[in-house]
Each structure stands twice: as structure tokens, then as C-alpha cells.
């Protein structure tokens, strides 16, 4: 019996081997290597020299562009994640109605997410928000004539990125939709009988019942927002401009790594990012006990 | 009912799989076809060739360059011609746009997998040569494998670092001002003499006139090109000879140049930054080609692309200088280098030699990479040139006589300094800092970057 069990373990390992080997080679090893490089002056060309915490010191005290990119990234995350979740929930509630052809609507609303992270959409975005773009033509129809390039102006560029992010609400929406469907209809019916209005039902039933899913979406979207790269790269043509206003953290990291070939510094940046995002995810988990409602725990 | 569903799902899955399978097959088939055709051109070449001089062991040479579509097209053609002459040589082309090219090359260097022949830019030359990535070509020029007998010494010098020839000049370039004579005429502006051009002040004085007609003076002047050019005019250098700091100490030069530049910008003589940030810098987007600016200030080899895009006659004028001390200079438009890690250096050199010296090849290249450095080739291909190309050749010949020696290649870290300069000037133009503050900030930060070279 014992032997059979051990064999069983072996089979288990065998089946997971492709993942484990892949993980060790393609994730674990590069991560450890980058941790090592973050303490060196590795420049891709010459053997790395150990520099201790120099990269980290420069980052925190001698690189104002770094702090600029941190500010830009937090602006982006703090604006795009709540807006995106709110939008996703609103659309999910609309699509939760039993009307004809709902499947078609769901697919249509999910479409932007399928293609959203792609280069093509980012290029389309530059057309929409450019100086002769769709938005300006539309404003022109309303009698507001402007030739400002929304993407080229320091004040508005980051907001075009945020708008792009909000537009890609599909995956969160799908998860919200599944969550909404799992809320027992009897709760709403009972509340209805007791005379609760739509708003009250939303805040007292839908939101609490949905809160575990909100937490999940919040954490996933926060992490992915911190890692956003493609749209900023494409829209600012790899620069993070104008005036570094779209210099998202990962874009700045990329510039350091591949434009200036400062792999050591870029590795250090990557580790600070990893730790920061980790801490933020942890904080979100910690706060969850105050606002996330789990049915199994009984009433809250 | 359930059974039917299962069958349907299973069927659709199978169809899906089958589609995937055939897709893969299709891919393989087309690959096979491609390699087959490559092979056949090779064998066709072998029957035709009699001139192959290297021994017949098959070698594969990786050749990398950056450029636009037209450059890719004719370079592939030249490669084809070379392969026909040398049936044992297979050339693997690797090409990309300028920005992507460097982002690809750096990791290749890290992996010790640089292409054998690498097209090189002056901004990156030190970064690669100084870090031992490039082979010294001197032994090959001495042995005649790389024939430089008809290349003038100053033309070669641009590829030398510490006396060693790391990079072979692929063509000569000079800064120039491109104008549309018909447009100038319609604005009532008299074109200056072809061997004099305007001064910047004379040209800037046309700004209001141009603006009234809805035209700009130019889109912009590239900071990493024109600020060093201005410094040359003042007898200063952008970088100190040892590359550990900027070549100037006095902020006055920065302040003078960018006070003027800001004035032009604020008066609306140049393209606003928000629009500039979205222009890709292709010849099709060039403002002279589009007819919305009086001039385009560029490297001379760009003239071909821009006049093609303009579809009308354009002229080349001497780029306005800041005074008459021959600040103008000839610059290698680009170089060819050989990777130190290359195992087929001889074959790589032979290909470069072909590109530089072969007349038939240059009848295809036609100076697109700058005016050929070999005087023999220059003479031989003149009859084949279009009028536009002739203008470029004439201008570079004129410039050669009216210029001084170029600055040494930029030091390691110059790419970062260039980016810093652009960012700092944007801050000035967006009125976030004064010119004085920007000048000081730039000098301090640039010196900090360059100090790493100590």
C-alpha cells in the first residue's frame, strides 16, 4: 500500500514535470539571475561587476525620471483600475438581463478585450486621439474646433491610455457576469416583496454578494495595470513622452534595459516593482476582511 | 439530446484539430518551398559563376541592417547577386527599422550571437567597438581583402577608434537643407545661391512671411545632430576627447542656441511638440514633401526618399551654418562592421568588399546609403544616376571641399545623453524650466552619465 502511494506520487510528478521543468528553467532561473544582476553593473556587453546596492541607491536618490515614472504609473493604476471595474460591472449588469440576442451583445462587448492588448488597437488609438483624429472630428461636429493632439499633449496623454484600459473591460465583465448569475434570485425577490428599491437592492444584495469577485478582479486588474507596457510603448513610440507623461514603470524599465543597455539597473527596477506589487496585493487582501462578504461565514 | 450535443462538440473539436493540423502542414510546405527556391537559386548561381575566389566550403554569413522598405528591397537584390557569384555562400539577412534594430542587437551581443556583418551607426560605434564586440579591419585592408585603394583617407578615418579601423564607411553624407523651389517662388522668396545658402538668421527672418501663408520654416532640427553642429560652428565639441564629460563647460552655448530655437518655436515657425511626437519621420511625412514647410534639414542621403515622396522637383542647399568657419562636415551615413565573435570573418569581409567596391552592385545601391566612398565606383555609376541622385552626389562633392574633419565618434553613453537632451529641450519648450536652468541641468546630468566612462 505504501509502495503504491509512492508510485502514485511519482506519476504525479511525471505529469507535472513539463510545468515544473518549464517553471524552473524559464521563470525561476531568470528571476534569480535578475536578482543577481540587480546588484551588478551588467550592461549586456561586459561581464557584470558587483556594485552592491548602488543601483537601488541611484534609483531612490539620484534618478528623478524614475520617480516621474512611479508617479505616472500610480496615476494610471489608481485611475484605470476603479474605472475599469466600475465599467465592467455596469455592463455586466446590463448583460445580465434576459433580453433577446443577449449572447450576441455579450460577444460584442467582450470583443475589445480579445484584441485590446494588441499593437493594432494601440495604433488605432493614436488615430482616434491624434491631432486630426476621430475625437477632434467629432468635437468639430459639436462646434468645438481644436487641433490639439490628445496623445501629444502632456496633460492628456496618460488619460488616453487610461481610456484605452477602461475600454478593455471584457474579462472582468465576464467574471462579474458569472458572479451576478450565481446570486440567488430569491434574495432579490424577497427584497422586492419587502419594498426595497433598485438602488437599495444593489447596495444591500448585489454588491455584498459580489464582493469576493470584486476582490478577485481588483487584485488581478491591479497587478496587470502595474505591468502595462504595450499601449504606452506603441502610443508614445517607445519614448514615454511627451514630457515623460506616459512613461509607465515597465516602459522606463524597458528603456533602461534595451535602449541604454543598463541591465543591472533594469533588474533592480524589476525587483522593486515585484516587491511593491506584492505588498499592494497583500494590503488589498488584508483590507478584504472589512468589506468582502463570504456566504459560508454566515451573515456579516 | 445530450448525445447529439456531445457528438456536435466532439465533431467541432475534431474539425478544429484537423484545421490546425492542415495549418501546420501548410506552414511546413511553404517553408519547404521557400528553402527549395533558395536552394535552386544557389545552384543556378553555381552553374553561372566562374569568378568565385574563396574556397568552395559552404559558409553562411548573417548580414544585419536597418532601413526602410526600399533599402530592404535593393539590399536583398544585392545579396542575391553576391550569392550568384559565390555559390558556396549563403547570406541570411536580418533587417529592421532603426529603433528596433538596436533593441535586437544588444541582446544578441549579450548572447554572443551577433550577426557576422553589422550595419553600424556612429552613435553606437563606441558602445560596440569599445566593448570588444567588433573586429579590427586593419589586417584586411592591409592584405587587400578589403580594398580601400580608391577610398580617401579622411573618409576612412570616421571608422577609426584609437588608430584601429573598426568600421567601414558605407557612404558619405553631409547635412543639407532641402527646399521646394516652386513653393519659394510662389511665396516670393528668392532662393539663395546654390553654393552659399542662407544663414540661420536670414532664414528665420522668413518665418512670418511663411506663417502668413500657413507654412512652417521646418518641422524641427534634430537635437542630437544640430546642437553638436552649432557647437562646431562655435569651435566647441559636444563630447570631450576622452568621452568622460561634455566637450564644453560654458552653458552660454546651450543658452544661445536654445534661446533662439525656443523663439522660433514660440513664434510658431516650427512644428508643435504634440504633433511632432506623433510623426514617424518617414519621407512620406516630411513637411517639404507634404508642402507645408519651407525646408527640411537632413542628411543628404534622405533627399532621394523625400523627393520621391514629394513627386516634384526639390533642391538641395547648403545647410545654414552659424558662421563661415567650415562647421560643415562629411559623415559616414553608416558603417559596415564585422562581429568579433564571427567565425566566418573572411567571408564577411568579402561581402563588405563587394558592397563597397563592386560597380554592378553599386548600380543597384545607387548611393542610397550615402555617396559611395570609392572614387572609382562614384565615377562608374554616375551615368546611371537619376537627376535627384546626381544632385546629392554634386552636393556631397561640394561639401567635401567646404568642410572640416568630423568629430570623433560619440562616446559610450551618448545614446543616453541624446535622450536626455531631447527631454531637457522639451521641458524648455513646454515652459517647465528656463533655458538657463535647462542648460545647467543638461550639463550636470550628461556629465554624470559620461563620468561612468572614467
Amino acid at each position: 500500500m505504501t509502495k503504491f502511494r509512492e508510485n502514485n506520487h511519482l506519476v504525479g510528478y511525471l505529469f507535472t514535470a513539463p510545468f515544473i521543468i518549464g517553471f524552473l528553467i524559464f521563470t525561476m532561473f531568470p528571476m534569480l539571475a535578475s536578482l543577481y544582476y540587480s546588484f551588478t553593473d551588467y550592461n549586456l556587453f561586459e561581464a557584470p561587476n558587483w556594485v552592491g546596492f548602488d543601483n537601488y541607491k541611484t534609483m531612490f536618490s539620484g534618478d528623478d525620471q524614475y520617480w516621474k515614472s512611479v508617479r505616472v504609473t500610480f496615476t494610471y493604476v489608481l485611475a484605470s483600475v476603479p474605472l475599469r471595474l466600475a465599467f465592467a460591472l455596469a455592463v455586466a449588469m446590463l448583460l445580465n438581463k434576459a433580453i433577446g440576442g443577449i449572447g450576441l451583445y455579450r460577444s460584442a462587448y467582450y470583443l475589445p478585450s480579445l484584441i485590446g492588448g494588441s499593437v493594432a488597437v494601440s495604433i488605432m488609438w493614436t488615430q482616434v486621439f491624434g491631432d486630426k483624429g476621430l475625437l477632434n472630428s467629432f468635437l468639430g461636429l459639436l462646434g468645438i474646433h481644436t487641433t490639439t493632439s490628445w496623445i501629444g499633449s502632456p496633460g492628456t496623454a496618460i488619460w488616453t491610455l487610461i481610456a484605452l484600459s477602461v475600454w478593455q473591460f471584457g474579462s472582468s465583465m465576464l467574471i462579474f457576469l458569472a458572479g451576478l448569475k450565481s446570486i440567488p434570485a430569491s434574495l432579490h425577490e424577497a427584497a422586492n416583496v419587502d419594498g426595497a428599491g433598485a438602488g437599495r437592492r444593489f447596495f444591500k444584495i448585489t454588491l455584498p454578494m459580489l464582493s469576493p469577485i470584486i476582490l478577485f478582479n481588483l487584485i488581478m486588474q491591479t497587478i496587470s495595470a502595474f505591468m502595462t507596457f504595450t499601449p504606452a510603448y506603441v502610443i508614445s513610440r517607445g519614448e514615454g513622452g511627451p514630457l515623460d507623461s506616459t512613461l509607465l514603470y515597465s516602459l522606463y524599465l524597458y528603456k533602461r534595459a534595451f535602449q541604454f543597455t543598463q541591465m543591472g539597473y533594469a533588474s533592480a527596477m524589476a525587483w522593486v516593482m515585484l516587491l511593491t506589487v506584492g505588498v499592494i496585493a497583500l494590503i488589498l487582501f488584508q483590507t478584504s476582511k472589512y468589506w468582502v462578504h463570504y456566504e459560508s461565514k454566515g451573515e456579516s | 439530446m445530450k448525445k447529439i450535443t456531445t457528438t456536435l462538440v466532439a465533431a467541432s473539436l475534431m474539425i478544429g484539430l484537423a484545421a490546425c493540423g492542415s495549418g501546420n502542414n501548410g506552414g511546413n510546405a511553404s517553408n519547404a518551398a521557400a528553402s527549395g527556391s533558395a536552394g535552386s537559386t544557389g545552384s543556378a548561381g553555381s552553374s553561372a559563376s566562374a569568378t568565385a575566389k574563396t574556397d568552395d566550403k559552404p559558409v553562411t554569413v548573417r548580414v544585419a541592417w536597418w532601413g526602410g522598405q526600399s533599402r530592404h528591397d535593393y539590399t536583398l537584390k544585392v545579396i542575391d547577386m553576391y550569392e550568384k557569384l559565390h555559390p558556396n555562400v549563403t547570406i541570411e539577412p536580418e533587417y529592421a527599422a532603426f529603433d528596433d534594430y538596436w533593441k535586437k542587437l544588444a541582446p544578441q551581443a549579450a548572447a554572443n550571437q551577433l550577426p557576422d556583418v553589422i550595419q553600424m551607426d556612429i552613435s553606437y560605434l563606441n558602445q560596440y567597438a569599445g566593448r570588444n564586440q567588433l573586429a579590427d579591419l586593419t589586417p584586411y585592408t592591409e592584405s587587400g581583402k578589403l580594398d580601400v585603394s580608391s577610398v580617401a583617407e579622411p573618409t576612412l578615418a570616421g571608422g577609426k577608434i584609437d588608430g584601429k579601423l573598426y568600421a567601414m564607411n558605407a557612404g558619405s553624407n553631409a547635412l543639407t537643407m532641402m527646399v521646394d523651389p516652386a513653393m519659394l517662388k510662389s511665396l516670393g522668396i528668392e532662393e539663395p545661391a546654390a553654393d552659399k545658402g542662407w544663414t540661420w538668421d536670414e532664414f528665420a527672418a522668413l518665418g512670418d512671411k511663411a506663417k502668413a501663408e500657413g507654412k512652417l520654416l521646418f518641422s524641427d532640427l534634430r537635437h542630437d545632430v544640430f546642437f553638436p553642429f552649432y557647437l562646431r560652428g562655435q569651435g566647441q565639441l559636444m563630447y570631450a576627447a576622452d568621452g568622460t564629460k561634455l566637450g564644453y563647460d560654458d552653458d552660454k552655448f546651450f543658452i544661445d542656441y536654445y534661446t533662439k530655437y525656443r523663439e522660433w518655436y514660440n513664434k510658431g515657425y516650427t512644428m508643435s511638440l504634440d504633433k511632432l511626437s506623433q510623426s514617424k519621420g518617414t519621407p512620406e511625412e516630411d513637411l517639404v514633401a507634404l508642402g507645408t514647410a519651407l525646408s527640411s534639414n537632413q542628411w543628404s542621403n534622405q533627399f532621394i526618399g523625400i523627393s520621391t515622396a514629394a513627386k516634384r522637383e526639390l533642391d538641395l542647399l547648403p545647410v545654414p551654418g552659424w558662421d563661415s568657419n567650415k562647421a560643415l562636415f562629411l559623415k559616414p551615413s553608416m558603417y559596415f562592421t564585422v562581429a568579433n565573435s564571427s567565425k566566418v570573418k573572411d567571408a564577411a569581409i568579402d561581402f563588405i568588399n563587394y558592397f563597397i567596391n563592386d560597380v554592378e552592385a553599386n548600380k543597384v545601391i545607387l548611393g542610397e546609403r550615402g555617396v559611395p566612398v570609392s572614387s572609382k565606383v562614384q565615377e562608374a555609376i554616375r551615368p546611371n544616376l537619376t537627376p535627384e541622385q546626381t544632385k546629392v552626389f554634386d552636393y556631397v562633392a561640394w561639401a567635401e571641399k567646404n568642410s572640416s574633419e568630423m568629430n570623433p565618434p560619440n562616446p559610450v553613453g551618448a545614446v543616453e545623453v541624446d535622450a536626455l537632451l531631447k527631454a531637457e529641450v522639451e521641458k524648455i519648450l513646454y515652459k517647465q524650466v528656463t533655458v538657463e536652468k535647462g542648460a545647467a541641468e543638461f550639463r550636470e546630468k550628461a556629465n554624470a552619465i559620461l563620468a561612468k566612462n572614467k
Side-chain angles (χ1 to χ4, degrees):
Chain A
M1 188 66 195
T2 342
K3 196 160 183 221
F4 175 73
R5 243 189 221 154
E6 272 169 17
N7 278 345
N8 229 5
H9 278 235
L10 207 67
V11 172
Y13 283 124
L14 198 70
F15 276 108
T16 49
F19 168 75
I20 292 175
I21 292 171
F23 174 77
L24 288 178
I25 296 177
F26 296 113
T27 307
M28 206 58 207
F29 170 71
M31 276 184 77
L32 291 177
S34 89
L35 182 60
Y36 164 68
Y37 286 140
S38 76
F39 293 103
T40 69
D41 63 354
Y42 186 46
N43 64 11
L44 281 179
F45 294 93
E46 292 159 315
N49 297 310
W50 187 263
V51 294
F53 281 93
D54 275 10
N55 288 329
Y56 293 92
K57 274 183 215 153
T58 315
M59 205 184 303
F60 288 119
S61 58
D63 185 354
D64 38 355
Q65 214 177 8
Y66 174 82
W67 288 107
K68 175 88 195 186
S69 88
V70 168
R71 274 199 301 279
V72 169
T73 311
F74 272 94
T75 311
Y76 177 78
V77 173
L78 288 177
S80 76
V81 174
L83 281 174
R84 189 181 198 171
L85 289 184
F87 206 62
L89 182 56
V91 177
M93 289 182 65
L94 273 181
L95 294 182
N96 196 25
K97 300 246 187 294
I99 49 171
I102 193 74
L104 200 69
Y105 288 118
R106 279 180 200 156
S107 311
Y109 280 105
Y110 189 63
L111 204 61
S113 305
L114 283 179
I115 50 173
S118 73
V119 173
V121 170
S122 304
I123 288 174
M124 184 193 89
W125 224 243
T126 63
Q127 303 295 337
V128 173
F129 289 99
D131 54 334
K132 294 188 190 79
L134 201 61
L135 182 61
N136 281 349
S137 312
F138 182 70
L139 289 176
L141 287 181
L142 298 178
I144 306 164
H145 294 283
T146 170
T147 56
T148 328
S149 166
W150 299 86
I151 281 165
S153 306
T156 53
I158 187 72
W159 291 98
T160 66
L161 289 183
I162 291 168
L164 177 58
S165 158
V166 173
W167 185 62
Q168 295 159 14
F169 56 85
S171 62
S172 313
M173 175 201 77
L174 220 57
I175 297 168
F176 277 138
L177 193 58
L180 287 172
K181 292 223 168 287
S182 69
I183 299 174
S186 56
L187 290 179
H188 281 288
E189 280 160 16
N192 222 355
V193 169
D194 287 347
R200 203 177 162 97
R201 286 205 306 270
F202 175 74
F203 285 106
K204 293 292 176 186
I205 298 173
T206 310
L207 272 189
M209 293 297 286
L210 213 53
S211 57
I213 290 169
I214 296 176
L215 175 68
F216 172 80
N217 270 340
L218 179 65
I219 289 179
M220 296 310 280
Q221 296 303 326
T222 305
I223 291 172
S224 81
F226 270 109
M227 301 196 305
T228 305
F229 174 77
T230 314
Y233 179 84
V234 175
I235 288 175
S236 74
R237 309 184 4 85
E239 298 271 354
L243 278 184
D244 293 339
S245 64
T246 58
L247 191 67
L248 291 179
Y249 197 94
S250 51
L251 182 55
Y252 185 49
L253 191 156
Y254 176 81
K255 277 178 87 168
R256 283 276 166 190
F258 291 101
Q259 191 178 353
F260 306 146
T261 67
Q262 295 161 348
M263 275 295 160
Y265 192 80
S267 296
M269 280 184 68
W271 276 89
V272 172
M273 163 96 131
L274 180 73
L275 293 178
T276 311
V277 174
V279 166
I280 287 171
L282 198 71
I283 293 173
L284 287 177
F285 267 118
Q286 289 298 319
T287 62
S288 72
K289 58 178 170 247
Y290 301 108
W291 60 275
V292 176
H293 167 83
Y294 290 103
E295 199 65 340
S296 55
K297 272 195 220 155
E299 285 181 320
S300 60
Chain B
M1 183 63 207
K2 202 171 180 187
K3 223 174 182 179
I4 297 173
T5 325
T6 324
T7 324
L8 267 177
V9 169
S12 62
L13 244 177
M14 280 173 69
I15 292 166
L17 285 175
C20 287
S22 70
N24 281 341
N25 283 344
N28 289 341
S30 65
N31 277 345
S35 61
S37 69
S40 67
T41 50
S43 60
S46 77
S47 60
S49 92
T51 49
K53 50 184 177 187
T54 42
D55 57 47
D56 280 354
K57 250 187 270 165
V59 284
T60 304
V61 184
R62 290 165 59 211
V63 176
W65 72 88
W66 74 81
Q69 196 51 47
S70 67
R71 182 176 297 165
H72 300 330
D73 291 343
Y74 82 76
T75 308
L76 291 172
K77 211 166 146 196
V78 172
I79 286 174
D80 228 34
M81 290 161 64
Y82 182 83
E83 282 179 334
K84 280 196 178 122
L85 290 173
H86 303 82
N88 62 318
V89 180
T90 311
I91 290 183
E92 283 180 6
E94 298 176 13
Y95 45 91
F98 188 80
D99 287 341
D100 302 328
Y101 180 80
W102 299 105
K103 284 162 189 160
K104 208 170 98 182
L105 207 58
Q108 284 180 330
N112 212 18
Q113 282 180 344
L114 280 175
D116 300 299
V117 176
I118 308 163
Q119 186 172 309
M120 182 58 57
D121 181 70
I122 195 162
S123 311
Y124 289 84
L125 179 58
N126 247 314
Q127 188 172 327
Y128 281 82
R131 285 162 171 171
N132 210 20
Q133 301 293 314
L134 303 179
D136 179 10
L137 306 181
T138 320
Y140 299 97
T141 55
E142 280 166 359
S143 71
K145 284 209 171 98
L146 181 55
D147 180 11
V148 291
S149 55
S150 45
V151 183
E153 177 53 33
T155 312
L156 272 184
K160 282 188 181 168
I161 295 173
D162 299 333
K164 287 183 183 164
L165 184 71
Y166 283 106
M168 182 65 211
N169 190 339
S172 297
N173 251 354
L175 281 173
T176 174
M177 177 184 257
M178 303 171 195
V179 294
D180 178 347
M183 183 208 285
L184 294 182
K185 207 167 179 188
S186 75
L187 294 178
I189 295 169
E190 202 183 331
E191 210 175 319
D195 59 347
K196 270 191 79 186
W198 281 296
T199 66
W200 283 112
D201 289 333
E202 284 165 1
F203 187 61
L206 302 171
D208 286 329
K209 201 172 198 176
K211 202 176 159 188
E213 301 287 329
K215 316 272 187 213
L216 302 174
L217 284 183
F218 46 78
S219 64
D220 67 320
L221 300 175
R222 276 191 64 129
H223 303 297
D224 57 336
V225 173
F226 280 91
F227 181 52
F229 180 54
Y230 170 74
L231 288 173
R232 276 177 72 90
Q234 306 299 312
Q236 300 287 320
L237 286 175
M238 181 75 170
Y239 298 104
D242 63 356
T244 60
K245 57 183 172 69
L246 289 177
Y248 66 91
D249 297 318
D250 192 346
D251 282 343
K252 165 182 175 299
F253 303 108
F254 186 106
I255 294 168
D256 286 353
Y257 179 71
Y258 281 109
T259 302
K260 208 161 260 187
Y261 196 95
R262 186 184 57 176
E263 186 191 320
W264 298 336
Y265 182 83
N266 287 345
K267 283 184 175 167
Y269 294 168
T270 71
M271 203 179 199
S272 73
L273 284 175
D274 62 324
K275 291 175 183 66
L276 191 62
S277 73
Q278 291 303 309
S279 97
K280 291 177 208 65
T282 57
E284 290 73 24
E285 286 190 2
D286 184 87
L287 295 191
V288 170
L290 292 174
T292 55
L294 256 51
S295 75
S296 178
N297 299 276
Q298 298 269 1
W299 294 108
S300 50
N301 69 330
Q302 305 287 330
F303 184 70
I304 312 286
I306 291 173
S307 52
T308 309
K311 297 194 186 73
R312 56 185 189 278
E313 201 197 336
L314 302 182
D315 272 344
L316 285 172
L317 292 173
V319 66
W322 297 91
D323 57 32
S324 53
N325 74 343
K326 292 196 172 180
L328 197 64
F329 59 101
L330 287 197
K331 171 190 164 288
S333 62
M334 59 197 76
Y335 305 93
F336 285 118
T337 60
V338 175
N340 221 355
S341 58
S342 168
K343 293 187 177 64
V344 290
K345 291 201 180 81
D346 284 339
I349 293 283
D350 196 61
F351 178 73
I352 297 176
N353 190 43
Y354 179 76
F355 217 99
I356 301 290
N357 287 308
D358 190 89
V359 172
E360 292 309 311
N362 276 282
K363 279 182 183 164
V364 175
I365 302 165
L366 288 173
E368 193 277 337
R369 278 177 161 89
V371 173
V373 291
S374 155
S375 51
K376 273 188 204 151
V377 169
Q378 260 187 55
E379 281 312 305
I381 67 167
R382 266 207 178 253
N384 297 60
L385 298 178
T386 64
E388 277 73 34
Q389 287 156 346
T390 310
K391 277 184 190 170
V392 175
F393 276 46
D394 288 345
Y395 177 70
V396 172
W398 174 85
E400 192 169 6
K401 293 190 203 85
N402 293 277
S403 57
S404 53
E405 199 184 323
M406 64 179 271
N407 298 342
N410 295 350
V412 176
V415 178
E416 208 182 335
V417 175
D418 289 346
L420 173 69
L421 176 61
K422 184 164 176 258
E424 209 59 61
V425 176
E426 278 188 8
K427 275 203 224 164
I428 293 170
L429 298 184
Y430 274 122
K431 303 193 177 83
Q432 300 229 322
V433 293
T434 60
V435 181
E436 288 75 14
K437 180 129 187 293
E441 258 182 34
F442 170 69
R443 181 174 39 74
E444 282 156 22
K445 287 186 188 170
N447 281 336
I449 292 167
L450 295 168
K452 291 178 198 151
N453 291 334
K454 272 181 191 159

